[in-house]
Amino acid sequence: MIQSGTVTSEMLAFIKNQVLTVTDITRSTKLTEILDLYAAKLPSEDVFVVQNSRNKDAQAVIADLEYFQELLMYKEAVEQSIDEVMHQLVLERKDKPAEIDLAHVIADQDLDMERIMKLAQDGDFE
């Protein structure tokens, strides 16, 4: 589905300068230039999108290693916060009766007795 949106000069500049094809990288010194950019003392927030022109789903991002590590730390902090909130929520609800009956859960998960028994035997409850 095509979405409409406002295009800015900043977006176009990013696409022109930082979206590359595999050919752009393999037939030029562009990769070396990108790595030299990242060699500066401070982490660079510059990112480059590399795509295969023959397969539009084949895309990746080149980013400064330190910047990527920083982003991963943010991700891990968010995940840890979510885990802590969920743990606290479980502790608060552990003594409360369930508001949904088992038959409803079974119907929602499209389970049958055979599947339930197999899950119970395997110990696979996810």
Side-chain angles (χ1 to χ4, degrees):
M1 179 172 153
I2 296 177
Q3 293 181 327
S4 64
T6 304
V7 177
T8 65
S9 60
E10 190 174 306
M11 289 170 64
L12 290 176
F14 177 84
I15 291 169
K16 179 181 176 195
N17 299 319
Q18 293 178 257
V19 176
L20 310 166
T21 66
V22 173
T23 304
D24 293 334
I25 291 178
T26 57
R27 294 187 181 165
S28 72
T29 59
K30 192 67 177 173
L31 183 57
T32 301
E33 293 170 20
I34 292 169
L35 294 175
D36 287 345
L37 171 71
Y38 295 153
K41 295 293 179 195
L42 297 175
S44 173
E45 294 182 5
D46 289 321
V47 295
F48 297 84
V49 177
V50 179
Q51 58 191 11
N52 183 341
S53 57
R54 295 180 187 163
N55 180 356
K56 72 178 191 171
D57 293 329
Q59 299 176 331
V61 171
I62 299 175
D64 183 287
L65 181 60
E66 290 179 38
Y67 181 59
F68 185 68
Q69 287 173 324
E70 182 180 343
L71 293 176
L72 283 177
M73 288 189 314
Y74 290 133
K75 178 183 180 276
E76 291 164 356
V78 168
E79 288 173 349
Q80 182 179 355
S81 296
I82 291 170
D83 287 347
E84 290 172 8
V85 168
M86 293 305 295
H87 181 75
Q88 187 61 37
L89 185 62
V90 167
L91 290 177
E92 291 171 6
R93 291 183 175 181
K94 73 177 183 161
D95 295 325
K96 294 182 180 178
E99 296 177 8
I100 185 169
D101 62 20
L102 185 57
H104 188 74
V105 172
I106 290 171
D108 275 359
Q109 297 299 316
D110 196 28
L111 297 174
D112 58 31
M113 188 52 85
E114 184 177 314
R115 175 90 169 119
I116 292 170
M117 294 304 293
K118 182 175 180 350
L119 288 171
Q121 288 173 350
D122 294 346
D124 183 10
F125 297 103
E126 292 185 39

